[in-house]
CSV table of all heavy atoms in Angstrom, one decimal:
chain,number,residue,atom,x,y,z
G,1424,LYS,N,-36.3,33.7,24.9
G,1424,LYS,CA,-36.5,33.5,26.3
G,1424,LYS,C,-35.8,34.7,27.0
G,1424,LYS,O,-34.6,34.8,26.9
G,1424,LYS,CB,-35.9,32.1,26.6
G,1424,LYS,CG,-36.0,31.8,28.2
G,1424,LYS,CD,-35.5,30.4,28.4
G,1424,LYS,CE,-35.7,30.1,29.9
G,1424,LYS,NZ,-35.1,28.8,30.2
G,1425,ASP,N,-36.5,35.5,27.7
G,1425,ASP,CA,-35.8,36.5,28.4
G,1425,ASP,C,-35.2,36.0,29.8
G,1425,ASP,O,-36.0,35.4,30.6
G,1425,ASP,CB,-36.9,37.6,28.7
G,1425,ASP,CG,-36.3,38.9,29.4
G,1425,ASP,OD1,-35.1,38.8,29.9
G,1425,ASP,OD2,-37.0,40.0,29.3
G,1426,MET,N,-33.9,36.2,29.9
G,1426,MET,CA,-33.3,35.6,31.1
G,1426,MET,C,-33.1,36.7,32.2
G,1426,MET,O,-32.4,36.5,33.2
G,1426,MET,CB,-31.9,35.1,30.7
G,1426,MET,CG,-32.0,34.0,29.7
G,1426,MET,SD,-32.7,32.4,30.2
G,1426,MET,CE,-31.2,31.9,31.2
G,1427,GLY,N,-33.6,37.9,32.0
G,1427,GLY,CA,-33.6,39.0,33.0
G,1427,GLY,C,-32.2,39.7,32.9
G,1427,GLY,O,-31.4,39.6,31.9
G,1428,GLU,N,-31.9,40.3,34.0
G,1428,GLU,CA,-30.6,41.1,34.0
G,1428,GLU,C,-29.4,40.2,34.0
G,1428,GLU,O,-29.4,39.1,34.6
G,1428,GLU,CB,-30.6,42.0,35.2
G,1428,GLU,CG,-31.5,43.1,35.1
G,1428,GLU,CD,-31.3,44.2,36.2
G,1428,GLU,OE1,-30.3,44.3,36.8
G,1428,GLU,OE2,-32.3,44.9,36.5
G,1429,VAL,N,-28.4,40.6,33.3
G,1429,VAL,CA,-27.1,39.7,33.2
G,1429,VAL,C,-26.0,40.2,34.0
G,1429,VAL,O,-26.0,41.4,34.3
G,1429,VAL,CB,-26.8,39.9,31.7
G,1429,VAL,CG1,-26.2,41.2,31.3
G,1429,VAL,CG2,-25.7,38.8,31.4
G,1430,SER,N,-25.3,39.4,34.5
G,1430,SER,CA,-24.1,39.7,35.3
G,1430,SER,C,-22.8,39.1,34.7
G,1430,SER,O,-21.7,39.4,35.1
G,1430,SER,CB,-24.2,39.2,36.8
G,1430,SER,OG,-24.4,37.7,36.8
G,1431,TYR,N,-23.0,38.1,33.8
G,1431,TYR,CA,-21.9,37.5,33.2
G,1431,TYR,C,-22.3,36.9,31.8
G,1431,TYR,O,-23.3,36.4,31.6
G,1431,TYR,CB,-21.4,36.2,33.9
G,1431,TYR,CG,-20.1,35.7,33.7
G,1431,TYR,CD1,-18.9,36.3,34.3
G,1431,TYR,CD2,-19.9,34.6,33.0
G,1431,TYR,CE1,-17.7,35.8,34.1
G,1431,TYR,CE2,-18.7,34.1,32.7
G,1431,TYR,CZ,-17.5,34.7,33.3
G,1431,TYR,OH,-16.4,34.1,33.1
G,1432,VAL,N,-21.5,37.3,30.7
G,1432,VAL,CA,-21.8,36.8,29.3
G,1432,VAL,C,-20.5,36.7,28.5
G,1432,VAL,O,-19.6,37.5,28.7
G,1432,VAL,CB,-22.8,37.9,28.6
G,1432,VAL,CG1,-22.2,39.2,28.5
G,1432,VAL,CG2,-23.3,37.3,27.4
G,1433,ILE,N,-20.4,35.6,27.8
G,1433,ILE,CA,-19.3,35.3,27.0
G,1433,ILE,C,-17.9,35.5,27.7
G,1433,ILE,O,-16.9,36.0,27.2
G,1433,ILE,CB,-19.4,35.9,25.6
G,1433,ILE,CG1,-19.4,37.4,25.6
G,1433,ILE,CG2,-20.5,35.4,24.8
G,1433,ILE,CD1,-19.0,38.1,24.3
G,1434,GLY,N,-17.9,35.2,29.0
G,1434,GLY,CA,-16.6,35.3,29.7
G,1434,GLY,C,-16.3,36.7,30.2
G,1434,GLY,O,-15.2,36.9,30.8
G,1435,ILE,N,-17.3,37.6,30.2
G,1435,ILE,CA,-17.1,38.9,30.6
G,1435,ILE,C,-18.1,39.2,31.8
G,1435,ILE,O,-19.3,39.1,31.6
G,1435,ILE,CB,-17.3,39.9,29.5
G,1435,ILE,CG1,-16.3,39.8,28.3
G,1435,ILE,CG2,-17.1,41.4,30.0
G,1435,ILE,CD1,-16.6,40.6,27.1
G,1436,GLU,N,-17.5,39.6,32.9
G,1436,GLU,CA,-18.4,40.0,34.1
G,1436,GLU,C,-18.9,41.4,33.9
G,1436,GLU,O,-18.2,42.3,33.4
G,1436,GLU,CB,-17.6,40.0,35.3
G,1436,GLU,CG,-18.4,40.3,36.6
G,1436,GLU,CD,-17.5,40.4,37.8
G,1436,GLU,OE1,-16.3,40.3,37.8
G,1436,GLU,OE2,-18.2,40.6,38.9
G,1437,ILE,N,-20.2,41.5,34.1
G,1437,ILE,CA,-20.8,42.9,33.9
G,1437,ILE,C,-21.3,43.4,35.2
G,1437,ILE,O,-22.0,42.7,35.9
G,1437,ILE,CB,-22.1,42.8,32.9
G,1437,ILE,CG1,-21.5,42.2,31.6
G,1437,ILE,CG2,-22.8,44.1,32.8
G,1437,ILE,CD1,-22.7,42.0,30.6
G,1438,PHE,N,-21.0,44.6,35.6
G,1438,PHE,CA,-21.4,45.1,36.9
G,1438,PHE,C,-21.8,46.5,36.7
G,1438,PHE,O,-21.4,47.3,35.8
G,1438,PHE,CB,-20.2,45.0,38.0
G,1438,PHE,CG,-19.0,45.5,37.6
G,1438,PHE,CD1,-18.6,46.9,37.9
G,1438,PHE,CD2,-18.0,44.9,36.9
G,1438,PHE,CE1,-17.5,47.5,37.5
G,1438,PHE,CE2,-16.8,45.4,36.4
G,1438,PHE,CZ,-16.5,46.6,36.8
G,1439,ARG,N,-22.7,47.0,37.5
G,1439,ARG,CA,-23.3,48.3,37.4
G,1439,ARG,C,-23.6,48.9,38.7
G,1439,ARG,O,-23.9,48.2,39.7
G,1439,ARG,CB,-24.5,48.3,36.4
G,1439,ARG,CG,-25.6,47.5,36.9
G,1439,ARG,CD,-26.7,47.4,35.9
G,1439,ARG,NE,-27.4,46.3,35.5
G,1439,ARG,CZ,-26.9,45.0,35.2
G,1439,ARG,NH1,-25.6,44.8,35.3
G,1439,ARG,NH2,-27.7,44.0,34.9
G,1440,ASN,N,-23.6,50.2,38.8
G,1440,ASN,CA,-24.1,51.0,39.9
G,1440,ASN,C,-25.1,52.0,39.3
G,1440,ASN,O,-24.7,53.1,38.7
G,1440,ASN,CB,-23.0,51.7,40.5
G,1440,ASN,CG,-23.4,52.5,41.8
G,1440,ASN,OD1,-24.4,53.1,41.8
G,1440,ASN,ND2,-22.5,52.5,42.9
G,1441,ARG,N,-26.4,51.7,39.4
G,1441,ARG,CA,-27.4,52.5,38.9
G,1441,ARG,C,-27.5,53.9,39.5
G,1441,ARG,O,-27.7,54.8,38.8
G,1441,ARG,CB,-28.8,51.8,39.0
G,1441,ARG,CG,-28.9,50.5,38.1
G,1441,ARG,CD,-30.2,50.0,38.3
G,1441,ARG,NE,-30.3,48.7,37.7
G,1441,ARG,CZ,-30.3,48.3,36.4
G,1441,ARG,NH1,-30.3,49.3,35.5
G,1441,ARG,NH2,-30.5,47.1,36.0
G,1442,LEU,N,-27.2,54.0,40.8
G,1442,LEU,CA,-27.2,55.3,41.4
G,1442,LEU,C,-26.2,56.3,40.9
G,1442,LEU,O,-26.4,57.4,40.7
G,1442,LEU,CB,-26.9,55.1,42.9
G,1442,LEU,CG,-28.1,54.4,43.7
G,1442,LEU,CD1,-27.7,54.2,45.2
G,1442,LEU,CD2,-29.4,55.1,43.6
G,1443,GLN,N,-25.0,55.7,40.5
G,1443,GLN,CA,-24.0,56.5,39.9
G,1443,GLN,C,-24.0,56.6,38.5
G,1443,GLN,O,-23.2,57.2,37.8
G,1443,GLN,CB,-22.6,56.0,40.4
G,1443,GLN,CG,-22.4,56.2,41.9
G,1443,GLN,CD,-20.9,55.7,42.4
G,1443,GLN,OE1,-20.2,55.1,41.6
G,1443,GLN,NE2,-20.7,56.0,43.6
G,1444,GLY,N,-24.8,55.8,37.8
G,1444,GLY,CA,-24.9,55.6,36.4
G,1444,GLY,C,-23.7,54.9,35.7
G,1444,GLY,O,-23.3,55.3,34.7
G,1445,LEU,N,-23.1,54.0,36.4
G,1445,LEU,CA,-21.9,53.4,35.9
G,1445,LEU,C,-22.2,51.9,35.5
G,1445,LEU,O,-23.0,51.2,36.1
G,1445,LEU,CB,-20.8,53.3,37.1
G,1445,LEU,CG,-20.4,54.5,37.7
G,1445,LEU,CD1,-19.5,54.3,38.9
G,1445,LEU,CD2,-19.7,55.4,36.7
G,1446,LEU,N,-21.5,51.6,34.4
G,1446,LEU,CA,-21.6,50.2,33.9
G,1446,LEU,C,-20.1,49.8,33.6
G,1446,LEU,O,-19.3,50.6,33.0
G,1446,LEU,CB,-22.3,50.2,32.5
G,1446,LEU,CG,-22.4,48.9,31.8
G,1446,LEU,CD1,-23.2,47.9,32.5
G,1446,LEU,CD2,-22.9,49.0,30.4
G,1447,GLY,N,-19.8,48.7,34.1
G,1447,GLY,CA,-18.4,48.2,34.0
G,1447,GLY,C,-18.3,46.8,33.5
G,1447,GLY,O,-19.3,45.9,33.5
G,1448,LEU,N,-17.2,46.5,32.8
G,1448,LEU,CA,-16.9,45.1,32.3
G,1448,LEU,C,-15.6,44.7,32.7
G,1448,LEU,O,-14.7,45.5,32.8
G,1448,LEU,CB,-16.8,45.2,30.7
G,1448,LEU,CG,-18.1,45.8,30.0
G,1448,LEU,CD1,-17.8,45.9,28.4
G,1448,LEU,CD2,-19.3,45.0,30.2
G,1449,SER,N,-15.6,43.4,33.1
G,1449,SER,CA,-14.3,42.8,33.6
G,1449,SER,C,-14.0,41.5,33.0
G,1449,SER,O,-14.9,40.7,32.9
G,1449,SER,CB,-14.4,42.7,35.1
G,1449,SER,OG,-13.3,42.1,35.6
G,1450,GLN,N,-12.8,41.2,32.7
G,1450,GLN,CA,-12.4,39.9,32.2
G,1450,GLN,C,-11.3,39.3,33.3
G,1450,GLN,O,-10.5,38.5,33.0
G,1450,GLN,CB,-11.7,40.0,30.9
G,1450,GLN,CG,-12.6,40.2,29.8
G,1450,GLN,CD,-12.0,40.0,28.5
G,1450,GLN,OE1,-11.1,40.9,28.0
G,1450,GLN,NE2,-12.3,39.0,27.7
G,1451,LYS,N,-11.6,39.6,34.6
G,1451,LYS,CA,-10.7,39.1,35.6
G,1451,LYS,C,-10.7,37.6,35.6
G,1451,LYS,O,-9.6,37.1,35.9
G,1451,LYS,CB,-11.3,39.7,37.0
G,1451,LYS,CG,-10.4,39.3,38.2
G,1451,LYS,CD,-11.0,39.8,39.4
G,1451,LYS,CE,-10.1,39.4,40.6
G,1451,LYS,NZ,-10.6,39.9,41.9
G,1452,ALA,N,-11.8,36.9,35.5
G,1452,ALA,CA,-11.9,35.5,35.6
G,1452,ALA,C,-11.1,34.9,34.4
G,1452,ALA,O,-10.3,34.0,34.6
G,1452,ALA,CB,-13.3,35.0,35.5
G,1453,TYR,N,-11.2,35.5,33.3
G,1453,TYR,CA,-10.4,35.0,32.1
G,1453,TYR,C,-8.9,35.2,32.3
G,1453,TYR,O,-8.0,34.3,32.1
G,1453,TYR,CB,-10.7,35.7,30.8
G,1453,TYR,CG,-9.9,35.4,29.6
G,1453,TYR,CD1,-10.0,34.1,29.0
G,1453,TYR,CD2,-9.0,36.3,29.2
G,1453,TYR,CE1,-9.1,33.8,27.9
G,1453,TYR,CE2,-8.1,36.0,28.1
G,1453,TYR,CZ,-8.2,34.8,27.5
G,1453,TYR,OH,-7.4,34.4,26.4
G,1454,ILE,N,-8.5,36.4,32.9
G,1454,ILE,CA,-7.1,36.6,33.1
G,1454,ILE,C,-6.5,35.8,34.2
G,1454,ILE,O,-5.5,35.1,33.9
G,1454,ILE,CB,-6.9,38.2,33.6
G,1454,ILE,CG1,-7.2,39.1,32.4
G,1454,ILE,CG2,-5.6,38.4,34.2
G,1454,ILE,CD1,-7.4,40.5,32.8
G,1455,ASN,N,-7.3,35.4,35.2
G,1455,ASN,CA,-6.8,34.4,36.3
G,1455,ASN,C,-6.7,33.1,35.7
G,1455,ASN,O,-5.7,32.4,36.0
G,1455,ASN,CB,-7.8,34.5,37.4
G,1455,ASN,CG,-7.7,35.8,38.2
G,1455,ASN,OD1,-6.7,36.4,38.3
G,1455,ASN,ND2,-8.8,36.1,39.0
G,1456,LYS,N,-7.6,32.7,34.7
G,1456,LYS,CA,-7.5,31.4,34.1
G,1456,LYS,C,-6.2,31.2,33.3
G,1456,LYS,O,-5.5,30.2,33.3
G,1456,LYS,CB,-8.7,31.2,33.2
G,1456,LYS,CG,-8.7,29.8,32.6
G,1456,LYS,CD,-10.1,29.6,31.8
G,1456,LYS,CE,-10.1,28.3,31.2
G,1456,LYS,NZ,-11.5,28.1,30.5
G,1457,VAL,N,-5.8,32.3,32.5
G,1457,VAL,CA,-4.6,32.4,31.8
G,1457,VAL,C,-3.4,32.3,32.7
G,1457,VAL,O,-2.5,31.5,32.4
G,1457,VAL,CB,-4.6,33.5,30.9
G,1457,VAL,CG1,-3.2,33.6,30.1
G,1457,VAL,CG2,-5.7,33.5,29.8
G,1458,LEU,N,-3.4,33.0,33.7
G,1458,LEU,CA,-2.3,33.0,34.7
G,1458,LEU,C,-2.1,31.6,35.4
G,1458,LEU,O,-1.0,31.1,35.5
G,1458,LEU,CB,-2.5,34.0,35.8
G,1458,LEU,CG,-2.3,35.5,35.4
G,1458,LEU,CD1,-2.7,36.5,36.4
G,1458,LEU,CD2,-1.0,35.9,34.8
G,1459,GLU,N,-3.3,30.9,35.7
G,1459,GLU,CA,-3.1,29.6,36.2
G,1459,GLU,C,-2.6,28.6,35.1
G,1459,GLU,O,-1.8,27.8,35.5
G,1459,GLU,CB,-4.6,29.2,36.7
G,1459,GLU,CG,-5.0,29.8,37.9
G,1459,GLU,CD,-6.4,29.4,38.3
G,1459,GLU,OE1,-6.9,28.4,37.9
G,1459,GLU,OE2,-7.1,30.2,39.1
G,1460,ARG,N,-3.0,28.8,34.0
G,1460,ARG,CA,-2.6,27.8,32.9
G,1460,ARG,C,-1.1,27.9,32.6
G,1460,ARG,O,-0.5,26.8,32.5
G,1460,ARG,CB,-3.3,28.2,31.6
G,1460,ARG,CG,-2.9,27.4,30.4
G,1460,ARG,CD,-3.6,27.8,29.1
G,1460,ARG,NE,-3.1,27.1,28.0
G,1460,ARG,CZ,-3.3,27.5,26.7
G,1460,ARG,NH1,-4.0,28.5,26.5
G,1460,ARG,NH2,-2.8,26.8,25.8
G,1461,PHE,N,-0.6,29.1,32.8
G,1461,PHE,CA,0.9,29.2,32.7
G,1461,PHE,C,1.6,29.2,34.0
G,1461,PHE,O,2.8,29.7,34.1
G,1461,PHE,CB,1.2,30.4,31.8
G,1461,PHE,CG,0.8,30.3,30.4
G,1461,PHE,CD1,-0.3,30.8,29.9
G,1461,PHE,CD2,1.5,29.6,29.5
G,1461,PHE,CE1,-0.8,30.7,28.6
G,1461,PHE,CE2,1.2,29.3,28.2
G,1461,PHE,CZ,0.0,29.9,27.8
G,1462,ARG,N,0.9,28.9,35.1
G,1462,ARG,CA,1.5,28.8,36.5
G,1462,ARG,C,2.0,30.1,36.8
G,1462,ARG,O,3.2,30.2,37.5
G,1462,ARG,CB,2.5,27.6,36.5
G,1462,ARG,CG,1.9,26.3,36.3
G,1462,ARG,CD,2.8,25.2,36.5
G,1462,ARG,NE,2.3,23.9,36.1
G,1462,ARG,CZ,2.8,23.0,35.4
G,1462,ARG,NH1,4.0,23.1,34.9
G,1462,ARG,NH2,2.1,21.9,35.1
G,1463,MET,N,1.3,31.2,36.6
G,1463,MET,CA,1.9,32.5,36.9
G,1463,MET,C,0.9,33.2,37.9
G,1463,MET,O,0.9,34.4,38.1
G,1463,MET,CB,2.0,33.4,35.7
G,1463,MET,CG,3.1,32.9,34.8
G,1463,MET,SD,3.4,34.0,33.3
G,1463,MET,CE,4.0,35.5,34.2
G,1464,GLU,N,0.0,32.4,38.6
G,1464,GLU,CA,-1.1,33.1,39.3
G,1464,GLU,C,-0.5,33.8,40.5
G,1464,GLU,O,-1.1,34.6,41.2
G,1464,GLU,CB,-2.1,32.1,39.8
G,1464,GLU,CG,-1.6,30.9,40.7
G,1464,GLU,CD,-1.1,29.7,39.9
G,1464,GLU,OE1,-0.9,29.8,38.6
G,1464,GLU,OE2,-1.0,28.7,40.5
G,1465,ARG,N,0.7,33.5,40.9
G,1465,ARG,CA,1.3,34.1,42.1
G,1465,ARG,C,2.4,35.2,41.7
G,1465,ARG,O,3.2,35.7,42.5
G,1465,ARG,CB,2.1,33.2,43.0
G,1465,ARG,CG,1.0,32.2,43.6
G,1465,ARG,CD,1.7,31.3,44.7
G,1465,ARG,NE,0.7,30.4,45.1
G,1465,ARG,CZ,0.8,29.7,46.2
G,1465,ARG,NH1,2.0,29.6,46.8
G,1465,ARG,NH2,-0.1,28.8,46.6
Side-chain angles (χ1 to χ4, degrees):
K1424 183 177 179 184
D1425 187 343
M1426 304 289 287
E1428 290 190 21
V1429 66
S1430 61
Y1431 197 81
V1432 66
I1433 61 169
I1435 300 172
E1436 180 185 5
I1437 300 170
F1438 53 93
R1439 58 186 138 312
N1440 182 323
R1441 294 185 192 281
L1442 294 175
Q1443 295 180 350
L1445 299 175
L1446 175 69
L1448 306 174
S1449 172
Q1450 286 190 293
K1451 182 179 178 180
Y1453 173 73
I1454 292 168
N1455 288 335
K1456 185 177 178 179
V1457 170
L1458 289 173
E1459 287 176 21
R1460 178 178 173 195
F1461 293 101
R1462 298 183 183 138
M1463 294 183 64
E1464 64 270 16
R1465 294 185 182 190

